[in-house]
Amino acid sequence: MTQDDVDIDALVRRRIRALRLSRGWSLDNLAARSFLSPSTLSRIETGSRRIALDQLVPLARALGTTLDQLVEGPNDDDVVIHPERDERRGMTVWTLDRERNPFDMTVARMRITEPAPATDELGVHAGRDWFMVLSGTAELRLGDRLILVEAGHAAEYSTMIPHAVGAHGGPVEVLLLLSQDAQRTHLPRAQGAPPAGDERSGQ
């Protein structure tokens, strides 16, 4: 067994125990949900028993996680989120990794320097959008309306209304919660935006 194997093994044991305790469960509670005995779970958590794959699967299911998440190793390479710039639309975007998000949602921090586009350039997609202004003042264009949202305030609206977010009187930074449909509309092409010709469908 290599040192990496030992580290991962210890990490998995800590995750199992921490997830159990975070739910306020005793070993008996988890045993009933995972169909393993309390004594087996105790030996797994303390390291006195090797963890078998056929034990990890029911444990992951009982703890509300996936096998991949339970056994993934520490990786510093994907800790820091680097900004992606879209100079054409006056945007800088920091996004969480959608591939690891179990809810198919993306949280993005966006810095916008351009005003909201004209009414005939607004985009529409299924669902609802939510954003909070971190600094500056945002322009939220909803159909024919132009709504100003100041720092510390948030907005939530139906995205079946033609819409876009822009900067008012200077750069604005917002925190957005985006669905899969919203990701394609609002994020730069490198993050899944529409093909050429639709890039100004909304910010």
Side-chain angles (χ1 to χ4, degrees):
M1 181 183 296
T2 68
Q3 183 61 44
D4 286 344
D5 292 332
V6 173
D7 291 343
I8 293 296
D9 189 73
L11 183 58
V12 171
R13 296 177 193 278
R14 289 198 299 270
R15 284 174 178 157
I16 292 170
R17 176 176 170 78
L19 287 169
R20 175 176 66 80
L21 294 177
S22 71
R23 287 158 174 75
W25 294 349
S26 66
L27 288 170
D28 288 336
N29 294 143
L30 181 55
R33 289 170 169 83
S34 63
F35 305 103
L36 299 171
S37 70
S39 60
T40 295
L41 291 175
S42 177
R43 291 196 295 272
I44 287 174
E45 288 189 2
T46 58
S48 59
R49 176 180 180 139
R50 292 292 304 273
I51 310 175
L53 180 61
D54 61 353
Q55 295 168 335
L56 285 174
V57 172
L59 279 172
R61 186 181 302 114
L63 292 167
T65 186
T66 66
L67 181 61
D68 287 344
Q69 290 174 326
L70 197 59
V71 302
E72 71 177 346
N75 184 359
D76 294 341
D77 294 339
D78 58 1
V79 172
V80 178
I81 300 173
H82 300 284
E84 295 199 19
R85 292 179 174 83
D86 184 347
E87 302 298 340
R88 233 179 123 180
R89 294 196 291 174
M91 293 164 47
T92 304
V93 180
W94 296 257
T95 58
L96 301 186
D97 192 334
R98 294 187 296 280
E99 293 180 359
R100 293 196 301 271
N101 191 323
F103 304 107
D104 200 27
M105 301 288 289
T106 290
V107 177
R109 175 187 168 200
M110 186 178 293
R111 184 177 189 272
I112 307 170
T113 57
E114 297 293 326
T119 303
D120 60 357
E121 298 180 71
L122 305 182
V124 174
H125 58 83
R128 300 185 72 84
D129 274 0
W130 178 95
F131 72 84
M132 179 176 183
V133 180
L134 302 176
S135 64
T137 300
E139 292 182 352
L140 170 60
R141 193 176 291 281
L142 282 177
D144 295 330
R145 292 181 293 163
L146 184 65
I147 302 168
L148 300 183
V149 187
E150 298 181 344
H153 293 265
E156 188 259 346
Y157 48 91
S158 169
T159 51
M160 291 303 289
I161 303 172
H163 64 280
V165 178
H168 181 80
V172 62
E173 290 199 8
V174 297
L175 189 69
L176 304 97
L177 183 62
L178 302 173
S179 66
Q180 188 174 20
D181 289 328
Q183 294 164 22
R184 288 191 290 266
T185 301
H186 295 299
L187 299 185
R189 193 184 310 167
Q191 292 287 341
D198 293 331
E199 288 186 349
R200 292 298 300 273
S201 60
Q203 298 190 40

